[in-house]
Amino acid sequence: MTRWLDEDEQRTWRAFLAASQRIQEDLDRQLQRDSGMPHAYYAILVRLSESPERRMRMSELAAAANSSQSRLSHAVARLEERGWVRREPCPADRRVSWAALTDEGFAVLAAAAPGHVGAVRQSLFDRLSADQVEQLATICAAILREPGS
Amino acid sequence: MTRWLDEDEQRTWRAFLAASQRIQEDLDRQLQRDSGMPHAYYAILVRLSESPERRMRMSELAAAANSSQSRLSHAVARLEERGWVRREPCPADRRVSWAALTDEGFAVLAAAAPGHVGAVRQSLFDRLSADQVEQLATICAAILREPGS
DNA sequence: CCAGTTTACTTGAACTCTCAAGTTCTACGA
DNA sequence: TCGTAGAACTTGAGAGTTCAAGTAAACTGG
């Protein structure tokens, strides 16, 4: 009863897997090598830096950075050890805690950003035409659309 | 001097990251839940099953399954413990070892495949038009093309 | 108003992955 | 033919991720 993938679908699927894994690995390696952090940590710092007062509630931050709460919790623990992020209690709701980017964290992020953007261009945008970039945006939006729509 | 991403690029980039991470995680979760293995292990079993005599040299297998040698080595060790894969020495070159899919491994793979294909359709193909699938294939090929071309 | 549920977050253990180093073995050139 | 380079694979330690369970605080309906 299974609808197997036909040959074209098979090829597309494997290319997609290989391409997305390759990009993830390239970025991870570049950031780890040049800035001593995995890409997931970089994403966290970026979201914080874009937020008003450079701080967010843990659960918002998790959603914004495509992370599970557990992953975020562990990650922020490490980032705190390095002095890049600080946790602050929320007076209004004591279940909540804020994660705030420290000045040192911001400096580290600023130093990491150019190399990271370079890697993104090199692994993705430099390889695609303007049309393809637009197509990719549409495709990714479709993938992310909720099931019931 | 850095060429930052403009707003469109930024959006596309984040959508791509979110989409590819989402797919990876969906597949990993589905396989882990229903078949007790991560997607990387599934990929290894698939490549072996497609190979003549259902066996491959470790280094070929690593390349075929988008894995580093070290990762593959660890993975095959686990798969061997479960009795799904067997290592065999190569008489011609004693540095080489073959990884062979056992009958039990093949059975496990056969049992896992329908659910996996279902997840692939659900997370990718069911969400895209035929045109988009074709566009995606072209885009992924471009991403994978070697730098010097 | 208070028992039960839900929300927010943390924790620990098991597992996978990465990186660097180590072990064998083959190949090659002088 | 010997020594050095390179290839194939393994290993161990360190780090990140996941899952399930746990804590604590805030709701909510009878």
Side-chain angles (χ1 to χ4, degrees), chain A residues 22 26 118-119 121-128, chain B residues 140-149:
Chain A
R22 185 137 143 69
D26 283 358
R121 287 211 176 280
Q122 200 175 324
S123 60
L124 186 68
F125 290 107
D126 290 351
R127 294 164 174 277
L128 303 180
Chain B
C140 292
I143 292 171
L144 292 170
R145 202 161 4 253
E146 286 311 309
S149 45

Side-chain angles (χ1 to χ4, degrees), chain B residues 10-69:
Chain B
Q10 190 73 249
R11 253 197 304 277
T12 304
W13 170 240
R14 293 190 183 195
F16 174 75
L17 271 187
S20 60
Q21 284 172 7
R22 186 139 144 67
I23 288 181
Q24 299 277 355
E25 282 161 26
D26 283 357
L27 293 181
D28 245 336
R29 213 185 319 283
Q30 185 274 324
L31 277 168
Q32 193 72 61
R33 176 170 41 79
D34 297 345
S35 309
M37 71 181 113
H39 182 242
Y41 288 18
Y42 181 87
I44 291 169
L45 299 185
V46 168
R47 304 313 147 124
L48 284 177
S49 77
E50 294 170 345
S51 192
E53 306 183 59
R54 293 182 188 158
R55 52 180 214 159
M56 291 175 98
R57 297 171 48 153
M58 291 292 282
S59 43
E60 285 171 8
L61 181 53
N66 303 321
S67 172
S68 69
Q69 280 210 143

Side-chain angles (χ1 to χ4, degrees), chain A residues 20-83:
Chain A
S20 60
Q21 284 172 7
R22 185 137 143 69
I23 288 182
Q24 299 278 354
E25 281 161 25
D26 283 358
L27 292 182
D28 245 336
R29 213 186 318 284
Q30 185 274 325
L31 277 169
Q32 194 71 61
R33 177 168 40 78
D34 297 345
S35 310
M37 71 181 114
H39 182 241
Y41 288 18
Y42 181 87
I44 290 169
L45 300 184
V46 168
R47 303 314 147 127
L48 285 178
S49 76
E50 293 170 346
S51 192
E53 306 184 59
R54 293 183 188 159
R55 53 179 214 161
M56 291 175 97
R57 295 170 50 153
M58 291 293 282
S59 43
E60 284 172 8
L61 181 52
N66 304 321
S67 172
S68 69
Q69 278 209 143
S70 169
R71 176 151 106 207
L72 180 66
S73 198
H74 287 296
V76 167
R78 299 291 160 279
L79 291 169
E80 224 175 352
E81 286 169 9
R82 303 189 190 183

Side-chain angles (χ1 to χ4, degrees), chain B residues 29 58-59 69-70 73-74 87 95 97:
Chain B
R29 213 185 319 283
M58 291 292 282
S59 43
Q69 280 210 143
S70 169
S73 197
H74 287 296
R87 265 186 251 242
R95 291 170 302 181
S97 65

